[in-house]
Amino acid sequence: MDSQNSQTLNFPTTSRAHLRPLGVSIDDSLFTETKNTQKRKLSQKRKTLLSGSFSIGGHLSPWPRYISDQTILHNRKPCSDDYRKRAGSLQQPLGTTKPRYLEQLENYLRKELLLLDLSTDSAQELRLQPYREIFEFFIEDFKTYKPLLSSIKNAYEVMLAHQREKIRALEPLKAKLITVNENCNERILAMRAEERDEISTLKKEKMNLLKLIDKKNEEKISLQTEALVGPPSTHPSAVVMSCPETAPTTEPSPQQVTKLRKNLAEEYLHYLSERDARKILIADLNELRYQREDMSLAQSPGVWGEDPVKLTVALKMARQDLTRTQMELNTMKANFGDVVPRRDFEMQEKTLKELQEQLESLRDDYEEVRKEHEMLLQLHMSTLKERDQFYSELQEIQRTSTPRPDWSKCEDVVAGGRDRWHMLAEGKNSDQLVDVLLEEIGEGLLREKDFFPGLGYGESIPPFLRFDGTVENKKPTKKEVVKLLKDAWKERITEEQKEKFPDFFFSFLERHFGPGDAMAWAYTIFEYIKLFHTNEVMSQFYAVLMGKRKESVYIKQKETIAQLLKEMTNVDSQNEGLLTMEQLSAVLKSTFPLKKDERIQELMEAGGWHPSSSNADLLNYRMLFMEDEEGQSVPFVQKLWEQYMVEKDEYLNELKQELGLELNEEVTLPKVREALMNIDPSLDKQTLNHYLRQAFQLPMTEMPEEGEEREEGTVTQLQTALEQLQMSDIRRMGPREQEPAS
């Protein structure tokens, strides 16, 4: 053991310059290479550490030495009597020494710590490295406990890395807090400067007002002096006691008034000084009287007969009392010199509470900022995912999409050439251009036909098309068809005895063209309105004629347009046909109170408003309701129709969500009634019953009243009810009530 104790180990002293601060991000390959280099150096240090004969296998001695003979006490309290007894019995001599392995590890640790450069910002990171190496030595030497020690080390390394990432993420927030603090300080300084300016202004105003008051007082005194008009006198009493009878009749001059005021002031000061002198004289007389009385008391026989010894003793006792009092005063100062007065303590306590409140407020602000930062990070990640998804979709679309068609090739095919094609294609997308092109091709084919084959007398054939044989093609123009359909609508609106629309249509043709040509015109008009989808008049007439839409939809839309035109005409007091943009907006909001501001904006843009327009710009409102020769409306009326259809779809979607049923499920009449009242509380009873009759296809006479037993028996499929309402004229009557906030 002596030879072993005499052995010394030379630890390699390596510079810490190569150690990098923890948390610095580097390239993966460089990090792997550095890590392998560190492992090799660590292995060399360990070999150097264990180069002597001192090793774990045969030379690791227990320290203290008596530990091996002790029994480890489990679950013992350190301060218990049993613990003291056992500890006393296990005491050993103090002549034990540390194992060489422990001493060498400590020496190595001290040497490595001395080599560190602790002046950098990453000093704590560098200081941790020697301890990490010592722990690595233990892990490598204790093979049995190596997995456990490695897992402990890895757990601490992971936690340190996590804390470093968290600190790095919070550093920008610290800078932001500093910026916010500086901004607040600047605002406070600016407010204080404003307050100082305001105070100085108020002081100036105060001085001006005081000067004004002095001036008014002088005027008041001058006016009072004017009432005392009289000759100047040497005594104030002569001025005060002068009677009006003795006053001169002449008007005094300003110099006389000034002299009178000056004499009056001098006399007033003279009497004030005399009054003060009298008071002083009286005080002196009283003082002399008191002194005389005191002197008479001092010269009494009893005072002169006091014993000098008694007076000496009294003086000595007084001095002792003075000394004792002085000592007590010094003691009080020594004991209570550091005591804080209650007032100062309360002020400091109040300041502490304010600072604590500010700290809590800053903590709350920090938590809010941290949460916002986390939300922004999540939003950023979701945005990145969406961007990647959209990019992949774009790549897929670019790979699979077909090239856009060259619509300019249609200029030579369409009748009318380039100008007509540009007029037809203006403002239309590819799908609409396909419809226009099909209509042009279909119109050409229709003109080539001379006859139409009859469709027979089947039940699925509309009544106005039931005919066998061939029917002549009348080959009208689009303008003639549109004019004919408009005449049919006018006659339908003024008709008193309502009949089914298909029967009315055929009767209308018989009245205009006679029974012989009515069928030919019916086939011709039917083919035209079936072909031209983009023409508003034809498409709406076709939908009503085939039962895909109620005729009340068309009639109500025309009434709405007429009402809007009437409102604009009423606002135009000069009847010039012009309105300002502000007046147009007001008319739209009053006519359509339930429309959102965005849709009012869309209508104004369709009418010609643009962001650079001012409220004073004039608009010819009559041009908003014009139609061309083929019945096409201007964009303003088209936008009204589009918004009506969108609002109807939204209304029906709300109804479906309120019912909470699938389209293939059945719904009863009371449920639909309740859902309609929930989404539109402003519905009156008549309108509500009309909607229910349309949804369940019930005649007015068979419509059950609310609360009747027949209501539960009235059932239809939800999809059927929604389709029937889609065909009808339904619209919201009032706003939906907001649910109360919880």
Side-chain angles (χ1 to χ4, degrees):
M1 291 295 294
D2 295 338
S3 61
Q4 292 174 358
N5 292 334
S6 61
Q7 293 177 359
T8 58
L9 295 178
N10 296 324
F11 288 91
T13 59
T14 59
S15 175
R16 298 286 173 186
H18 68 280
L19 296 177
R20 59 180 181 87
L22 296 178
V24 178
S25 60
I26 57 175
D27 191 16
D28 293 340
S29 61
L30 181 59
F31 177 74
T32 305
E33 182 180 355
T34 306
K35 188 174 182 182
N36 294 334
T37 305
Q38 291 180 356
K39 285 185 177 180
R40 288 196 299 270
K41 290 183 179 181
L42 188 63
S43 178
Q44 293 175 2
K45 291 178 183 180
R46 181 175 172 273
K47 289 179 181 179
T48 306
L49 182 65
L50 302 177
S51 59
S53 61
F54 189 81
S55 64
I56 295 297
H59 303 282
L60 184 61
S61 60
W63 181 79
R65 294 180 180 179
Y66 57 83
I67 292 299
S68 60
D69 298 332
Q70 294 180 359
T71 302
I72 299 174
L73 299 180
H74 298 284
N75 300 326
R76 298 289 184 181
K77 295 182 179 179
C79 297
S80 64
D81 296 336
D82 189 16
Y83 178 81
R84 293 194 187 97
K85 292 178 181 179
R86 291 178 179 272
S89 63
L90 294 176
Q91 290 180 354
Q92 297 293 335
L94 300 176
T96 59
T97 59
K98 294 183 182 180
R100 181 183 299 177
Y101 188 66
L102 177 58
E103 292 179 353
Q104 291 174 351
L105 288 177
E106 291 177 349
N107 293 334
Y108 174 76
L109 179 60
R110 281 194 296 272
K111 189 182 298 183
E112 292 295 321
L113 290 176
L114 290 174
L115 294 175
L116 292 177
D117 183 12
L118 300 180
S119 62
T120 60
D121 295 337
S122 59
Q124 296 299 327
E125 299 287 348
L126 296 176
R127 186 180 179 85
L128 186 62
Q129 186 63 24
Y131 293 97
R132 185 182 287 108
E133 293 178 1
I134 296 297
F135 197 56
E136 288 287 345
F137 294 157
F138 267 92
I139 292 174
E140 294 298 328
D141 287 335
F142 290 91
K143 304 295 183 179
T144 305
Y145 302 99
K146 182 176 181 179
L148 176 60
L149 295 175
S150 299
S151 62
I152 293 172
K153 178 179 178 295
N154 293 335
Y156 275 99
E157 292 292 343
V158 171
M159 177 55 66
L160 286 174
H162 174 68
Q163 294 298 330
R164 285 194 296 271
E165 292 297 329
K166 194 170 183 180
I167 291 171
R168 187 182 300 108
L170 293 178
E171 285 179 356
L173 296 180
K174 180 179 178 182
K176 186 174 181 180
L177 286 176
I178 294 173
T179 305
V180 172
N181 189 15
E182 291 177 355
N183 293 336
C184 292
N185 291 335
E186 291 177 359
R187 292 176 61 186
I188 290 172
L189 293 176
M191 292 174 66
R192 288 178 178 174
E194 292 179 359
E195 290 177 356
R196 287 196 295 270
D197 295 340
E198 187 175 357
I199 289 172
S200 63
T201 304
L202 293 175
K203 287 182 178 179
K204 291 179 181 178
E205 292 181 359
K206 177 185 174 183
M207 297 302 297
N208 294 332
L209 292 174
L210 289 175
K211 292 179 180 178
L212 182 61
I213 291 172
D214 294 339
K215 185 177 179 181
K216 294 296 182 182
N217 288 334
E218 292 178 359
E219 293 179 357
K220 179 180 177 182
I221 292 172
S222 65
L223 292 174
Q224 290 177 353
T225 307
E226 290 177 0
L228 302 175
V229 178
S233 177
T234 59
H235 197 276
S237 61
V239 178
V240 176
M241 300 300 296
S242 60
C243 297
E245 291 81 359
T246 62
T249 57
T250 60
E251 193 72 17
S253 64
Q255 291 80 6
Q256 292 176 345
V257 172
T258 304
K259 188 173 182 180
L260 284 173
R261 290 175 62 187
K262 185 176 180 181
N263 293 335
L264 180 62
E266 291 175 354
E267 293 294 328
Y268 178 75
L269 292 175
H270 176 69
Y271 284 116
L272 281 178
S273 60
E274 287 183 355
R275 184 190 66 178
D276 295 336
R278 182 175 178 276
K279 288 182 179 180
I280 292 171
L281 183 60
I282 292 172
D284 293 336
L285 291 174
N286 292 332
E287 183 68 20
L288 291 173
R289 183 167 58 83
Y290 294 147
Q291 289 179 0
R292 188 180 62 182
E293 291 177 358
D294 292 337
M295 291 176 65
S296 63
L297 290 174
Q299 294 176 358
S300 62
V303 176
W304 289 104
E306 283 288 341
D307 188 4
V309 177
K310 185 177 180 181
L311 292 175
T312 303
V313 172
L315 178 61
K316 184 177 180 180
M317 295 299 296
R319 287 176 178 174
Q320 291 178 357
D321 292 341
L322 177 62
T323 304
R324 185 175 62 254
T325 305
Q326 188 68 33
M327 293 176 63
E328 290 179 357
L329 178 61
N330 294 334
T331 304
M332 294 291 291
K333 288 183 178 180
N335 292 336
F336 299 98
D338 298 333
V339 176
V340 179
R342 174 172 291 277
R343 180 179 179 184
D344 295 342
F345 172 75
E346 291 177 352
M347 291 179 63
Q348 294 297 329
E349 189 177 16
K350 182 179 178 182
T351 305
L352 176 61
K353 289 181 180 179
E354 292 177 354
L355 292 175
Q356 287 178 348
E357 291 177 356
Q358 293 178 2
L359 178 61
E360 292 296 331
S361 176
L362 289 175
R363 285 178 178 172
D364 294 340
D365 295 341
Y366 168 74
E367 287 297 326
E368 292 180 0
V369 172
R370 186 180 62 81
K371 291 179 181 179
E372 292 179 358
H373 179 257
E374 291 178 356
M375 292 175 61
L376 289 175
L377 287 178
Q378 295 177 0
L379 180 62
H380 177 66
M381 294 303 296
S382 62
T383 305
L384 288 179
K385 291 180 181 179
E386 290 180 359
R387 184 199 65 182
D388 296 338
Q389 181 181 356
F390 290 152
Y391 180 74
S392 59
E393 290 178 359
L394 176 61
Q395 294 293 331
E396 183 66 20
I397 291 172
Q398 289 178 350
R399 185 179 63 83
T400 59
S401 62
T402 57
R404 292 181 57 80
D406 185 7
W407 295 107
S408 61
K409 296 178 181 179
C410 301
E411 297 174 354
D412 300 331
V413 179
V414 175
R418 177 182 300 176
D419 296 338
R420 187 168 182 272
W421 173 252
H422 286 172
M423 182 186 66
L424 294 174
E426 183 179 2
K428 293 182 175 60
N429 54 31
S430 297
D431 187 41
Q432 294 172 341
L433 289 175
V434 171
D435 292 338
V436 172
L437 190 59
L438 291 176
E439 289 177 2
E440 291 294 323
I441 296 173
E443 185 179 6
L445 295 175
L446 278 179
R447 291 191 174 280
E448 293 178 358
K449 285 186 178 181
D450 294 329
F451 298 95
F452 297 110
L455 300 178
Y457 293 93
E459 294 182 357
S460 60
I461 305 301
F464 59 89
L465 296 178
R466 292 176 182 174
F467 184 77
D468 277 333
T470 58
V471 181
E472 181 184 0
N473 182 6
K474 295 298 183 179
K475 298 182 180 181
T477 62
K478 285 177 65 175
K479 299 177 184 178
E480 294 173 350
V481 175
V482 169
K483 183 177 181 303
L484 190 62
L485 296 179
K486 288 183 178 180
D487 293 340
W489 275 120
K490 291 178 182 178
E491 188 171 331
R492 178 64 173 178
I493 293 172
T494 58
E495 185 182 17
E496 297 180 359
Q497 188 66 28
K498 297 290 185 181
E499 56 181 337
K500 292 184 178 180
F501 196 79
D503 297 336
F504 158 76
F505 176 61
F506 193 74
S507 301
F508 170 77
L509 295 177
E510 286 182 339
R511 287 193 294 273
H512 279 70
F513 303 105
D517 291 337
M519 187 59 67
W521 277 103
Y523 269 86
T524 301
I525 293 174
F526 179 76
E527 292 294 335
Y528 267 81
I529 62 177
K530 183 175 67 173
L531 175 63
F532 293 100
H533 307 248
T534 59
N535 189 281
E536 298 175 15
V537 179
M538 294 185 183
S539 61
Q540 292 184 8
F541 195 90
Y542 176 76
V544 175
L545 188 63
M546 300 305 294
K548 297 179 180 179
R549 188 178 297 152
K550 302 292 184 182
E551 58 183 293
S552 59
V553 176
Y554 176 83
I555 296 173
K556 184 64 177 178
Q557 184 69 10
K558 290 298 181 183
E559 291 177 354
T560 303
I561 294 173
Q563 178 65 23
L564 182 59
L565 179 59
K566 182 180 178 182
E567 293 291 335
M568 292 182 181
T569 305
N570 293 337
V571 174
D572 182 16
S573 58
Q574 303 294 332
N575 198 19
E576 297 176 348
L578 298 175
L579 290 179
T580 63
M581 288 298 177
E582 186 176 1
Q583 290 174 333
L584 176 62
S585 176
V587 170
L588 291 175
K589 290 179 180 179
S590 63
T591 308
F592 306 108
L594 300 179
K595 282 188 181 294
K596 299 178 181 179
D597 293 338
E598 294 83 0
R599 289 179 178 166
I600 296 293
Q601 190 77 9
E602 291 176 358
L603 289 174
M604 292 186 65
E605 290 177 358
W609 180 89
H610 49 86
S612 61
S613 302
S614 64
N615 292 332
D617 291 345
L618 296 177
L619 174 71
N620 188 350
Y621 64 88
R622 292 172 183 168
M623 297 296 295
L624 302 179
F625 304 95
M626 299 295 291
E627 294 182 354
D628 59 11
E629 297 177 349
E630 295 182 354
Q632 290 294 105
S633 303
V634 294
F636 180 78
V637 177
Q638 294 177 4
K639 181 59 69 175
L640 274 177
W641 174 256
E642 291 175 6
Q643 289 186 0
Y644 166 73
M645 298 302 293
V646 171
E647 290 167 359
K648 182 192 289 187
D649 292 337
E650 292 174 353
Y651 191 78
L652 294 178
N653 286 333
E654 288 185 23
L655 177 61
K656 181 178 179 297
Q657 292 177 2
E658 185 69 25
L659 290 171
L661 300 174
E662 298 295 333
L663 292 175
N664 55 358
E665 293 185 89
E666 291 186 343
V667 63
T668 60
L669 190 143
K671 286 186 178 180
V672 178
R673 184 194 300 274
E674 181 182 0
L676 284 172
M677 290 304 299
N678 288 338
I679 66 173
D680 195 0
S682 302
L683 277 174
D684 57 86
K685 184 176 181 181
Q686 182 179 358
T687 307
L688 177 62
N689 290 335
H690 174 70
Y691 288 175
L692 293 175
R693 287 199 308 272
Q694 296 296 330
F696 290 88
Q697 292 295 292
L698 295 175
M700 187 178 296
T701 55
E702 298 180 8
M703 179 67 188
E705 294 293 333
E706 185 175 2
E708 291 186 6
E709 296 181 357
R710 290 188 302 159
E711 275 193 321
E712 294 295 337
T714 307
V715 180
T716 187
Q717 199 175 25
L718 178 59
Q719 184 175 3
T720 304
L722 293 178
E723 289 176 354
Q724 293 298 327
L725 290 174
Q726 182 69 36
M727 294 165 52
S728 306
D729 176 44
I730 62 170
R731 59 188 71 213
R732 181 177 292 280
M733 295 291 111
R736 182 171 185 173
E737 293 182 357
Q738 298 293 332
E739 296 181 359
S742 59

